Amino acid sequence: MAPMTEVASVVREALKADFIGAGQRAGRKKKRVVSAGALHPIKCVIVGKDNRAFVYDDETDAVFGVEARDPSAIEALSRKSASVLPSAATHFLALLADTESVSTVYSNHESLLWRDAGAVLQTLALVSEAFGLGFCPLGILGQEAADGLLPSGHRFLGVGVAAIGRRVRGVASSEGQP
């Protein structure tokens, strides 16, 4: 398993805000990952093997641990994620979309959220590769992370989960290819 510091560094490099707007541009950000309107509504929660959750905050450029409001929801996310990759020793990244931030600016904001989530997954994959880590989107959404961490009535939507960890070197595939 990759150390949490490496995983947090990948998330930070992918989601760091190089510029945060003020005044007329308040709420707009310049990042490495593309986002329509520069609103960047996708947040990332890192869930470790021990079900501890960490969040990257681009406003303060910090990764910090958060206490789950409902630990059973985080455990459910870990079980669901592990069922996709049962033998992987990884951390899981849950992407959460802030529906409120974009719904006030755009009609049909859901389309923007899904496009931005795809751009974040792609950027995380590229940064993971640069860090020498394996990255695998799991095809699940991760609503459990939002529901387990945030108060009821929140406006965050689970928009993707991925596994991130060390690659296993020297293991042949079933087709005999290295």
Side-chain angles (χ1 to χ4, degrees), residues 22-89:
Q24 187 178 11
R25 296 181 187 250
R28 308 291 179 164
K29 298 174 183 175
K30 180 180 175 188
K31 294 185 174 189
R32 292 162 183 100
V33 64
V34 298
S35 173
L39 291 175
H40 296 283
I42 309 300
K43 308 298 179 195
C44 184
V45 176
I46 305 167
V47 179
K49 278 294 192 185
D50 57 1
N51 293 325
R52 290 190 57 215
F54 297 84
V55 175
Y56 173 66
D57 177 32
D58 61 5
E59 300 279 334
T60 61
D61 190 26
V63 175
F64 54 90
V66 291
E67 216 37 61
R69 180 186 59 76
D70 180 3
S72 67
I74 303 303
E75 291 167 13
L77 173 63
S78 290
R79 280 192 309 277
K80 184 186 284 186
S81 299
S83 73
V84 177
L85 290 174
S87 62

Side-chain angles (χ1 to χ4, degrees), residues 80-159:
K80 184 186 284 186
S81 299
S83 73
V84 177
L85 290 174
S87 62
T90 66
H91 297 283
F92 298 109
L93 305 180
L95 303 183
L96 307 179
D98 179 356
T99 62
E100 189 168 12
S101 71
V102 292
S103 67
T104 60
V105 179
Y106 295 99
S107 58
N108 302 321
H109 65 277
E110 295 87 356
S111 172
L112 174 103
L113 296 176
W114 293 112
R115 285 180 284 157
D116 277 14
V120 169
L121 280 171
Q122 182 62 50
T123 303
L124 285 165
L126 290 170
V127 175
S128 295
E129 178 67 24
F131 274 72
L133 297 177
F135 184 85
C136 181
L138 300 183
I140 58 178
L141 298 179
Q143 186 63 37
E144 299 89 346
D147 296 341
L149 296 173
L150 300 168
S152 58
H154 66 82
R155 295 205 30 176
F156 278 78
L157 178 66
V159 291

Side-chain angles (χ1 to χ4, degrees), residues 11-22:
V11 171
R12 178 183 179 267
E13 287 301 318
L15 299 179
K16 181 180 180 206
D18 295 318
F19 168 82
I20 299 176

